[in-house]
Amino acid sequence: MENNRPSWTSRYAFIITTIGSAVGLGNIWRFPYIMGQYGGAVFLIIYIILISTICFIPLINELYIGKLTKKECVGAYESINPKFKPIGALNPITGILIASFYFIVGGWIINYIYKSFVCNQISDFGAYFSEFIQAPLYPCILTIIFLFICIFFTAKGVKNGIEAANKVLMPLLALILIFLVVISLNLPNANLGLEYMFKPDFSKINSEMVLAALGQAFFTLSIGMGALLTYGSYIKEDKSLVKSVYTIILSDTAFAILAGIMIFPAVFSFNMEPNSGAGLVFVTLPKIFSQVPYGNIISCAFFVLLLCAAITSGISIVEGPCATLIERFKVSRSKACCILFFVISIIAIPATLSFGILDHVKIFERTIFDFLDFFTSNIMLPLNTLFLCLVSGWYLQIKGNRIIKNSLLVLLFDFGLRFVVPIALICLIIMGLK
Ligand code: PHE
């Protein structure tokens, strides 16, 4: 079986697909609005500190376990100790649950690409957005279209589908982002947005903000659902992971910061609120696009950018459970993709409807969409990461010198993997439960 496993064609292919997994709605939609809610620059500073220190450890750890075992999640845990199999199974399950809400937002993006051309017919963007997501049929169709796109690339295989899609979409994404950043920086009063992003007010620091920054950093790096473990298992050559991991973290952070530089100057230039939450991208920005010259082209470019980011992450979300189906149940890749298409649709459709006709259905007092988001982001992702750190640090007693050359980093890695990261994750889960 092992000889039949796919692998990346080059180190570049591995890095670009992993960056593709990391850079997603988390960077362009979630990061700016969370930063807006927690006061701008201080959040950014704390975020950068955390992502380059604490997050480095579980990221390299997850990739390393994949590279070491050369198996998908369940097999990886099983090869460490057969009793750990159920813990491994939590990863693909988390992937399916994440897909079921992440892909809904993917569907919204498709609608906004289309709407870019007719947005002058919309007078109240807030009302439009809530009316749109409450509709019974249209958002469901869009969710399914987005799911189909991601499954399509996954079904074509690691080389011809996943790699190929990332090699085209990621450079395109970078180009559109730079184009939009230049436009935004040339708006009147753009400096107010930059000040908001880069002039810190340290009185705004509090523990809740630090944990929010940590949660965002884990989410954006795609840690904790086996996507990275699976991607790590496709690494062929025996090169050091450290450099790749630095490149991944640096690129992911650069994309998030550039997304902020694209959004905040525009928001300030048009006197809008930077802390409008999840609606920042779907309500505030379209309002701005409708007021600038060539707004429909800019709007279309922005939502195509968001779509590219969402697809490359979506592919990685599907690949984890797909690899599990292929390797555990010995089904073909296309069959595995059909099964996933069916299973994700069954959860995603009620979740899509939870904004409208199913809004009365509550799971622990949350709508289906909110519950999936809350349960996976706040509990499952940190829990899976916690298990993997404990398994590597305490059970396998993996030492940093197997992965890292620099001796100071090795010490920090060993201490971080066993103590700092597990404690941080436990705090994150406790805060998430509140
Ligand atoms: N990292 C992705 C983003 O920023 C989301 C994601 C989470 C993808 C977990 C895979 C696994 O949007």
Side-chain angles (χ1 to χ4, degrees):
M1 183 75 207
E2 259 180 45
N3 290 340
N4 296 334
R5 289 194 94 247
S7 54
W8 305 118
T9 51
S10 62
R11 190 184 168 87
Y12 169 73
F14 159 64
I15 293 180
I16 195 116
T17 40
T18 313
I19 295 175
S21 168
V23 176
L25 298 177
N27 303 60
I28 299 164
W29 175 51
R30 205 165 182 257
F31 177 79
Y33 88 70
I34 294 194
M35 184 171 162
Q37 280 173 340
Y38 286 99
V42 219
F43 179 88
L44 180 63
I45 294 173
I46 306 268
Y47 174 83
I48 291 177
I49 295 173
L50 293 174
I51 203 164
S52 51
T53 53
I54 294 191
C55 297
F56 172 84
I57 297 167
L59 176 61
I60 201 165
N61 181 46
E62 192 172 328
L63 289 166
Y64 179 71
I65 295 291
K67 186 175 173 229
L68 184 76
T69 58
K70 290 267 177 292
K71 296 216 160 69
E72 50 65 55
C73 297
V74 184
Y77 272 91
E78 186 185 36
S79 63
I80 294 168
N81 182 335
K83 286 199 194 116
F84 293 163
K85 224 164 62 176
I87 305 180
L90 289 178
N91 286 276
I93 294 173
T94 309
I96 291 174
L97 296 179
I98 290 192
S100 308
F101 80 88
Y102 197 89
F103 289 13
I104 295 173
V105 185
W108 297 350
I109 299 169
I110 297 176
N111 172 57
Y112 273 76
I113 292 178
Y114 160 67
K115 278 285 162 195
S116 298
F117 297 99
V118 285
C119 67
N120 45 0
Q121 293 163 9
I122 300 169
S123 53
D124 181 343
F125 284 92
Y128 169 75
F129 180 59
S130 47
E131 204 176 295
F132 156 64
I133 59 176
Q134 283 170 25
L137 191 62
Y138 185 45
C140 291
I141 296 174
L142 294 172
T143 304
I144 299 295
I145 294 177
F146 184 81
L147 169 62
F148 179 82
I149 299 173
C150 295
I151 293 265
F152 172 79
F153 287 118
T154 314
K156 284 182 79 93
V158 171
K159 183 169 157 248
N160 297 329
I162 303 179
E163 255 189 59
N166 277 280
K167 281 179 177 167
V168 174
L169 295 178
M170 291 310 290
L172 179 67
L173 196 156
L175 275 179
I176 302 179
L177 186 58
I178 291 168
F179 166 71
L180 292 174
V181 164
V182 172
I183 293 187
S184 186
L185 287 178
N186 281 306
L187 288 170
N189 294 328
N191 57 326
L192 294 179
L194 294 180
E195 246 170 55
Y196 178 76
M197 272 190 80
F198 297 114
K199 209 166 160 196
D201 171 2
F202 288 102
S203 64
K204 286 186 175 153
I205 296 187
N206 57 49
S207 58
E208 193 191 321
M209 171 215 270
V210 175
L211 287 173
L214 189 63
Q216 168 62 18
F218 279 124
F219 183 82
T220 185
L221 290 175
S222 311
I223 305 173
M225 54 146 285
L228 295 177
L229 193 151
T230 313
Y231 276 13
S233 76
Y234 299 149
I235 300 175
K236 207 170 31 185
E237 78 273 47
D238 207 33
K239 293 232 178 72
S240 138
L241 274 177
V242 181
K243 254 200 229 147
S244 314
V245 167
Y246 275 133
T247 315
I248 293 160
I249 292 185
L250 219 77
S251 315
D252 184 75
T253 310
F255 273 104
I257 294 176
L258 284 174
I261 300 181
M262 164 180 70
I263 291 174
F264 289 116
V267 168
F268 278 87
S269 182
F270 284 83
N271 268 327
M272 308 245 180
E273 288 302 317
N275 53 357
S276 59
L280 185 63
V281 158
F282 292 106
V283 179
T284 312
L285 288 186
K287 236 187 250 173
I288 295 174
F289 296 141
S290 70
Q291 295 172 32
V292 293
Y294 302 110
N296 43 10
I297 296 174
I298 297 173
S299 166
C300 180
F302 174 76
F303 286 107
V304 169
L305 161 88
L306 210 54
L307 186 68
C308 295
I311 292 174
T312 52
S313 297
I315 292 173
S316 77
I317 298 177
V318 177
E319 178 59 14
C322 180
T324 300
L325 285 176
I326 296 171
E327 291 174 32
R328 304 298 303 181
F329 299 96
K330 310 276 180 274
V331 296
S332 66
R333 182 168 276 272
S334 24
K335 214 179 206 170
C337 285
C338 288
I339 297 172
L340 283 173
F341 184 79
F342 187 68
V343 174
I344 295 173
S345 304
I346 287 189
I347 309 173
I349 289 177
T352 313
L353 294 175
S354 70
F355 290 98
I357 50 175
L358 291 185
D359 66 350
H360 58 281
V361 179
K362 297 278 183 330
I363 310 175
F364 293 109
E365 292 167 35
R366 288 165 209 270
T367 62
I368 305 173
F369 179 96
D370 286 344
F371 175 77
L372 287 171
D373 181 5
F374 162 81
F375 182 64
T376 51
S377 312
N378 294 2
I379 299 171
M380 292 311 289
L381 290 180
L383 200 62
N384 289 332
T385 311
L386 177 64
F387 285 145
L388 200 58
C389 287
L390 295 179
V391 165
S392 310
W394 293 94
Y395 185 79
L396 286 178
Q397 308 220 339
I398 287 182
K399 291 278 184 287
N401 56 10
R402 281 169 64 177
I403 315 174
I404 308 166
K405 299 258 151 32
N406 179 314
S407 48
L408 177 66
L409 268 187
V410 168
L411 274 181
L412 291 175
F413 177 88
D414 290 344
F415 186 68
L417 183 65
R418 287 161 153 241
F419 300 101
V420 182
V421 178
I423 291 171
L425 286 163
I426 290 169
C427 293
L428 208 57
I429 296 170
I430 293 173
M431 185 193 88
L433 284 174
K434 270 202 218 149

